Amino acid sequence: MNARLIIIEGELLGKSIPVATDTKHVIGREAPATVQIPDDSISAQHAEIELRGNQLHVRDLGSTNQIFHNGAQVSEITVSDGDVFAVGQISMRFETGEELPDIIIDFRNKIQFVKDEMGRIIIGQVDVINQLLSCIFAGGHCLIVGVPGLAKTAIVNSLARILDLQFKRVQFTPDLMPSDITGTNIIDTEVSGARGMKFVQGPIFTQLLLADEINRTPPKTQAALLEAMQERQVTIGVETRELPSPFIVVATQNPIEQEGTYPLPEAQLDRFMYNVLIDYPSLSEEEEILRRTTTKEEIPVRQVLDGRGILRFQKAVQQVEVAPYVIAYVAKLVRCTRPRDDDALDHTRETLEWGAGPRAGQYLIWGGKAMAAMDGRLSVSCDDIRSCAIPVLRHRISANFQAQASGITNDDIIRKLLDMVPEPEIAKYVEGDA
């Protein structure tokens, strides 16, 4: 690994500073500092840096102008590939020098470890776990729909422990208020007796938020998640606060009992990358569930990743290649769901009230990238797109009255669509072409 610091502003713009493994370096303006940066804002011995795996630990040595990260002054930080920080007034970017193929292979191996750990706790539900993982590493949020008792909460809870994420669960109820999720400002009396406002964080300030039975709370409270899911921030009063990174929302719904529920607005539904349907286990799986869960034996889980590791792999997933013919396939697939579009099929005109928007295509590509990376591949295939088409599209299309009366579901329509929409032909290179 050819780790290095790249100076990204000033007279030293572009200067590359190699960082050796298992060695502590001192950044300073002059000797005896091992990394010398001749700038007046740098102290003689400003900061100590040490490469730890694929991350860089930076510690201030009592300098005059300090270290800054994300606009805040810090005494020490740990940064990952691509992160920017400043020593004095000199901004620099940390680069690990890792090649994408190596990161993707590491990702594939780590994902297999995660699946193995999940398999020790959750019996079956292989597709659900696979879809949930691809959603997380694509940087999306997930809605899980299933009847009570199918381990929806257990899956999310176990995944949080295996990925070593800060985890909070909110039980959505009719009397839940937006401030119960985001937090609120309260009057705080200091020791001197002076009064001031103090912000008390809500449960949304976590890395993995489980919104349990999200449709049991009114739309006003559901809307408290909109900004958080889209912008990774919340606004309370006039102040905007950033959420931890990574930030993932997994919500659950019970599809049977609808009394006293509030259907999610379409704008809220659209913020969920996947709508994952969790079904009953098979006979053999149910027997194994009964055997395991009726004893006092507790199964410990092993931590496989952490928040920084997830961010590292999310960046790698973003770099997975998508060929033009795959993009053409996605565009055709999405446009065919719109019954009044020129590209619509007779089947969709007969069965759909309205179809998916452009965000569906974006999420199909993000999901395809994650699926390819989980398999250790550097490019997306049409099979990857098809593997995530149902969870991406099932909540973005609406069957019309005739289809519903005939017992045709959204999933049936999507499967038919996947059968009918052909893959574009790949342009072949002919010798002598320009």
Side-chain angles (χ1 to χ4, degrees):
M1 183 167 64
N2 300 315
R4 56 191 177 269
L5 291 172
I6 307 294
I7 296 178
I8 57 175
E9 64 179 355
E11 295 181 1
L12 299 173
L13 176 67
K15 178 180 174 63
S16 177
I17 303 168
V19 181
T21 307
D22 300 326
T23 302
K24 291 182 179 180
H25 302 271
V26 174
I27 296 178
R29 188 176 60 250
E30 55 195 29
T34 52
V35 177
Q36 296 176 25
I37 302 177
D39 187 271
D40 291 341
S41 68
I42 304 292
S43 298
Q45 295 194 56
H46 198 115
E48 180 184 79
I49 58 174
E50 181 182 9
L51 190 62
R52 299 175 180 176
N54 54 21
Q55 297 176 322
L56 184 72
H57 183 74
V58 186
R59 181 173 66 88
D60 185 67
L61 296 177
S63 64
T64 302
N65 294 319
Q66 308 295 322
I67 300 169
F68 292 87
H69 184 239
N70 292 333
Q73 181 180 309
V74 294
S75 58
E76 59 182 306
I77 50 168
T78 301
V79 294
S80 300
D81 185 41
D83 287 348
V84 173
F85 64 97
V87 176
Q89 296 177 11
I90 302 298
S91 294
M92 53 188 73
R93 182 176 63 249
F94 172 60
E95 296 182 356
T96 61
E98 291 182 291
E99 296 294 334
L100 181 62
D102 296 331
I103 302 176
I104 293 297
I105 293 300
D106 187 22
F107 177 51
R108 182 192 64 186
N109 295 337
K110 288 288 196 312
I111 283 294
Q112 189 56 55
F113 289 146
V114 171
K115 291 178 181 179
D116 291 345
E117 287 299 306
M118 288 292 290
R120 298 174 61 222
I121 305 168
I122 305 299
I123 310 302
Q125 307 299 352
V126 174
D127 288 342
V128 171
I129 293 171
N130 205 47
Q131 290 171 10
L132 183 55
L133 286 172
S134 68
C135 183
I136 287 173
F137 285 97
H141 308 289
C142 186
L143 176 65
I144 303 179
V145 179
V147 300
L150 293 184
K152 298 187 294 295
T153 303
I155 288 174
V156 182
N157 198 343
S158 301
L159 196 58
R161 287 187 288 156
I162 292 168
L163 298 180
D164 193 30
L165 292 172
Q166 299 171 17
F167 173 72
K168 289 182 183 175
R169 172 187 176 183
V170 177
Q171 188 67 45
F172 278 61
T173 56
D175 60 348
L176 194 71
M177 299 295 291
S179 59
D180 295 330
I181 301 172
T182 60
T184 187
N185 290 309
I186 64 171
I187 297 176
D188 182 39
T189 303
E190 300 176 355
V191 178
S192 63
R195 290 186 175 184
M197 299 303 294
K198 175 183 177 182
F199 177 69
V200 178
Q201 291 185 351
I204 202 168
F205 286 87
T206 188
Q207 292 177 317
L208 178 55
L209 176 70
L210 173 59
D212 219 356
E213 295 191 282
I214 190 173
N215 58 330
R216 292 205 172 277
T217 200
K220 181 179 180 180
T221 304
Q222 293 174 5
L225 291 174
L226 278 173
E227 182 186 13
M229 294 172 69
Q230 186 67 28
E231 308 294 338
R232 265 67 174 182
Q233 64 184 30
V234 292
T235 302
I236 297 96
V238 296
E239 194 168 351
T240 298
R241 300 174 184 271
E242 289 190 6
L243 293 168
S245 189
F247 174 70
I248 304 151
V249 175
V250 179
T252 67
Q253 276 191 185
N254 174 3
I256 298 176
E257 188 181 4
Q258 298 302 315
E259 184 177 351
T261 62
Y262 303 84
L264 289 177
E266 297 306 323
Q268 179 78 60
L269 269 176
D270 202 42
R271 295 308 191 277
F272 288 102
M273 177 174 170
Y274 281 0
N275 181 348
V276 175
L277 182 63
I278 184 168
D279 208 350
Y280 294 106
S282 66
L283 174 60
S284 61
E285 290 169 349
E286 192 152 1
E287 289 174 349
E288 182 62 16
I289 290 170
L290 296 175
R291 186 190 69 79
R292 287 197 196 180
T293 58
T294 53
T295 66
K296 292 184 178 180
E297 178 185 1
E298 289 191 12
I299 303 174
V301 295
R302 180 168 58 99
Q303 175 196 331
V304 177
L305 276 171
D306 58 17
R308 290 189 177 275
I310 292 171
L311 292 174
R312 171 178 174 244
F313 290 135
Q314 284 178 341
K315 289 179 182 178
V317 166
Q318 293 173 9
Q319 299 175 61
V320 171
E321 291 291 332
V322 185
Y325 83 93
V326 175
I327 292 177
Y329 177 66
V330 169
K332 180 72 172 177
L333 201 60
V334 172
R335 293 179 69 83
C336 282
T337 68
R338 302 167 190 165
R340 284 168 286 280
D341 196 282
D342 292 340
D343 291 323
L345 306 174
D346 290 341
H347 172 67
T348 54
R349 288 195 175 97
E350 294 168 0
T351 56
L352 288 178
E353 185 69 29
W354 43 264
R359 185 177 277 131
Q362 293 172 333
Y363 282 156
L364 282 171
I365 290 177
W366 284 120
K369 286 187 173 193
M371 290 290 186
M374 287 167 62
D375 196 38
R377 289 178 284 110
L378 297 173
S379 60
V380 179
S381 69
C382 290
D383 283 339
D384 295 321
I385 302 300
R386 285 188 285 268
S387 68
C388 59
I390 290 180
V392 167
L393 295 174
R394 65 160 47 108
H395 57 303
R396 291 185 166 87
I397 62 174
S398 177
N400 59 28
F401 177 78
Q402 290 82 2
Q404 294 179 45
S406 302
I408 298 174
T409 66
N410 286 4
D411 288 12
D412 295 330
I413 296 170
I414 297 167
R415 291 190 187 97
K416 186 75 171 176
L417 192 66
L418 293 174
D419 289 339
M420 297 179 71
V421 176
E423 294 183 19
E425 292 186 9
I426 304 174
K428 295 181 172 59
Y429 171 77
V430 178
E431 188 173 356
D433 284 357

